[in-house]
């Protein structure tokens, strides 16, 4: 039988408190609090009022139960999303600067649509994470009753879902786009093709950072139509669209190809297939820019990229990779002089050239 010293080494003292584990266990409570406050429009109501509001005023404005909204506002205050004001025994609330910028629909760098997509689509897929790990495959069919054999038929299973996904991408590149586009000096490239360019948000960041360039967005025909209707104005004359499937249809000749959050959707074999098509279409001396959340070479982080890789398991047939792994894929497709750079933000950049 083990003596007391052996038992003490095996089991923690009764008085210890597993705060980190409890925080992780309760992480979904934080996410759903944020999701719900956005969905109800709490931050929008406070922005529109232009002054602190009481819980009763907010509950009336969003059509919610007073007791429920009081609890939600208290939690948002605890998460430092709202500021609390107390005067004469009365409590009122206003947006923090971060909430004003990122959580209101009209904020200059709003993440509202990204949050909505996380709440209504990604969150439902993650309910089946255990199954995804056991089976090693996407869980779209269990979550939504739609076959995931064709990735984009699953992602764009309805017009409404397609617009939501495009709004997600729009908000992401409005916040992160300039960082990845300036990780390397892309000014020598005048004709740029953004493969899977979706809403055109990254193309807009590109033409802003490099005024001499033009960007052609190559995406599925229905995505192109929706982009023209909802996202890219006719005034953006340096941005144009071509409809097609980048695995099947001829690619445009360009100086630079951008693949932003594209390769992480696919297996290594499919990535090399697509990159080889890009290499064939690319002008001599041209290049490809891959934008992804890079894992550290030893796989130890960043945590965000590790979690994103789990998300790829749940939703796609792909994964997040290290810079060296993306370099190997580019080299297999014929690209040379490959470099990758970390931005210090969510997404990083890998650049490879086609020999002149």
């Amino acid at each position: 039988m083990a003596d007391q010293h052996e038992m003490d080494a095996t089991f923690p003292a009764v008085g210890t408190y597993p705060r980190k584990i409890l925080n992780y266990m309760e992480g979904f409570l934080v996410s759903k609090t944020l999701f719900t406050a956005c969905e109800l429009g709490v931050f929008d109501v406070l922005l529109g009022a232009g002054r602190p509001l009481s819980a009763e005023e907010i509950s009336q404005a969003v059509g919610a139960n007073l007791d429920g909204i009081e609890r939600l506002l208290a939690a948002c205050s605890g998460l430092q999303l709202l500021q609390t004001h107390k005067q004469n025994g009365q409590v009122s609330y206003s947006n923090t600067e971060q909430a004003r910028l990122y959580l209101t629909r009209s904020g200059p760098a709003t993440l509202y649509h990204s949050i909505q997509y996380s709440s209504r689509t990604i969150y439902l897929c993650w309910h089946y994470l255990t199954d995804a790990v056991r089976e090693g495959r996407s869980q779209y069919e269990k979550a939504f009753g739609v076959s995931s054999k064709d990735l984009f038929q699953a992602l764009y299973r309805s017009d409404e879902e397609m617009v939501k996904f495009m709004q997600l991408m729009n908000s992401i590149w409005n916040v992160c786009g300039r960082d990845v586009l300036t990780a390397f000096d892309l000014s020598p490239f005048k004709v740029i093709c953004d493969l899977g360019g979706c809403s055109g948000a990254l193309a807009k960041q590109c033409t802003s950072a490099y005024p001499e360039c033009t960007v052609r967005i190559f995406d599925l025909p229905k995505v192109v139509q929706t982009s023209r209707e909802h996202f890219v104005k006719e005034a953006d004359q340096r941005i144009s669209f071509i409809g097609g499937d980048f695995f099947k249809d001829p690619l445009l000749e360009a100086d630079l190809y951008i693949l932003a959050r594209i390769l992480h959707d696919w297996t290594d074999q499919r990535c090399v297939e697509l990159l080889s098509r890009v290499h064939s279409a690319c002008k001599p001396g041209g290049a490809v820019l891959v934008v992804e959340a890079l894992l550290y070479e030893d796989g130890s982080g960043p945590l965000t990229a590790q979690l994103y890789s789990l998300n790829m398991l749940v939703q796609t047939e792909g994964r997040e990779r290290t810079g060296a792994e993306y370099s190997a894929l580019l080299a297999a497709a014929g690209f040379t002089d490959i470099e990758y750079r970390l931005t210090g933000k969510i997404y990083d950049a890998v650049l490879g050239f086609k020999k002149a």
Side-chain angles (χ1 to χ4, degrees), residues 156-314:
Y156 301 151
R157 58 192 176 274
S158 69
D159 289 345
E160 179 186 4
E161 195 65 22
M162 180 175 65
V163 171
K164 285 198 297 182
F165 180 80
M166 294 174 72
Q167 288 172 329
L168 158 73
M169 298 306 297
N170 208 60
S171 62
I172 286 172
W173 296 132
N174 283 340
V175 173
C176 305
R178 195 172 186 91
D179 292 317
V180 295
L181 291 170
T182 56
F184 296 95
D185 179 13
L186 304 180
S187 60
F189 306 109
K190 306 306 180 188
V191 179
I192 298 173
C193 180
D194 185 359
L195 292 176
C198 201
S199 69
L202 193 60
K204 291 178 185 177
Q205 294 288 337
C206 193
T207 55
S208 172
Y210 303 103
E212 300 302 317
C213 80
T214 59
V215 181
R216 298 171 181 172
I217 296 170
F218 189 100
D219 213 319
L220 297 172
K222 61 182 179 180
V223 175
V224 167
Q225 180 181 347
T226 304
S227 292
R228 285 172 170 161
E229 291 175 358
H230 298 282
F231 295 101
V232 178
K233 300 176 182 177
E234 292 183 6
D236 295 318
Q237 296 178 355
R238 289 190 291 131
I239 299 173
S240 59
F241 290 90
I242 300 292
D245 182 328
F246 49 51
F247 277 112
K248 299 176 181 177
D249 297 318
L251 301 182
L252 303 167
E253 186 181 61
D255 301 316
L256 174 72
Y257 295 83
I258 298 175
L259 287 84
R261 285 182 37 131
I262 300 295
L263 296 184
H264 73 168
D265 290 338
W266 309 101
T267 63
D268 287 358
Q269 181 180 352
R270 292 286 269 169
C271 287
V272 173
E273 179 187 344
L274 177 55
L275 288 169
S276 296
R277 300 189 88 238
V278 171
H279 186 271
S280 296
C282 186
K283 294 178 181 179
V288 61
L289 180 75
V290 172
V291 177
E292 298 287 359
L294 296 185
L295 289 162
Y296 298 148
E297 294 304 321
D298 64 359
S300 65
L303 176 59
T304 298
Q306 293 169 326
L307 294 174
Y308 282 4
S309 200
L310 274 179
N311 190 51
M312 291 298 99
L313 174 64
V314 171

Side-chain angles (χ1 to χ4, degrees), residues 88-132:
N88 300 325
Q90 299 296 314
V91 179
S92 59
Y93 300 88
S94 63
N95 287 327
T96 61
E97 183 65 9
Q98 289 242 323
R100 184 187 69 80
L101 288 173
Y102 301 112
L103 302 181
T104 58
R105 297 189 199 203
S106 60
T110 182
L111 290 171
Y112 174 86
H113 295 294
S114 180
I115 290 166
Q116 291 293 88
Y117 191 82
S118 295
S119 175
R120 297 177 181 180
T121 300
I122 297 175
Y123 196 86
L124 297 181
C125 286
W126 273 63
H127 178 73
Y128 299 98
L129 177 60
T130 303
D131 292 342

